[in-house]
Amino acid sequence: MNSKKICGILVAFAALAAFNGTTGAQESSGVKQDAKAVGHGVANGARDVGHATKHVAVKVGHAGKEAGLGIGHGAKKAGIAVGHGARDGWNATRHAVKHVFHKDD
């Protein structure tokens, strides 16, 4: 159920409860059963809204996690690449200095 249907059901149940409350001060079993049915309908609608909210929250949370992992992994790869580049640059510099001063590797 989407929220529009749930809100419509809740309004209908509230109107039914209000109408039954104004028809008189009779305490018949029919009024009690109607009130019970309205209560169950409201509870079911609220539960459906809660489930839909949870579903959306889980989707948003998982998307955030995936985005964070992608950013984190990208940063890790970039850091490793910078480290390797620095190491390669150091090795090239060391080799050039040894070559200039005629020292063996």
Side-chain angles (χ1 to χ4, degrees), residues 1-100:
M1 291 182 112
N2 64 21
S3 61
K4 289 184 181 181
K5 288 182 182 178
I6 293 168
C7 289
I9 290 170
L10 292 175
V11 169
F13 284 140
L16 178 64
F19 178 76
N20 281 338
T22 59
T23 58
Q26 301 176 22
E27 292 248 356
S28 68
S29 64
V31 172
K32 289 181 182 177
Q33 290 298 323
D34 289 345
K36 185 177 178 181
V38 168
H40 283 295
V42 170
N44 289 340
R47 186 184 63 239
D48 290 344
V49 168
H51 286 173
T53 303
K54 177 190 170 200
H55 181 71
V56 169
V58 167
K59 288 291 186 184
V60 169
H62 286 172
K65 176 187 169 194
E66 292 298 322
L69 284 176
I71 291 168
H73 288 163
K76 177 185 172 189
K77 288 180 181 178
I80 289 171
V82 168
H84 287 182
R87 179 53 127 172
D88 291 344
W90 169 251
N91 287 339
T93 302
R94 189 179 66 190
H95 178 72
V97 168
K98 286 183 179 183
H99 184 69
V100 168

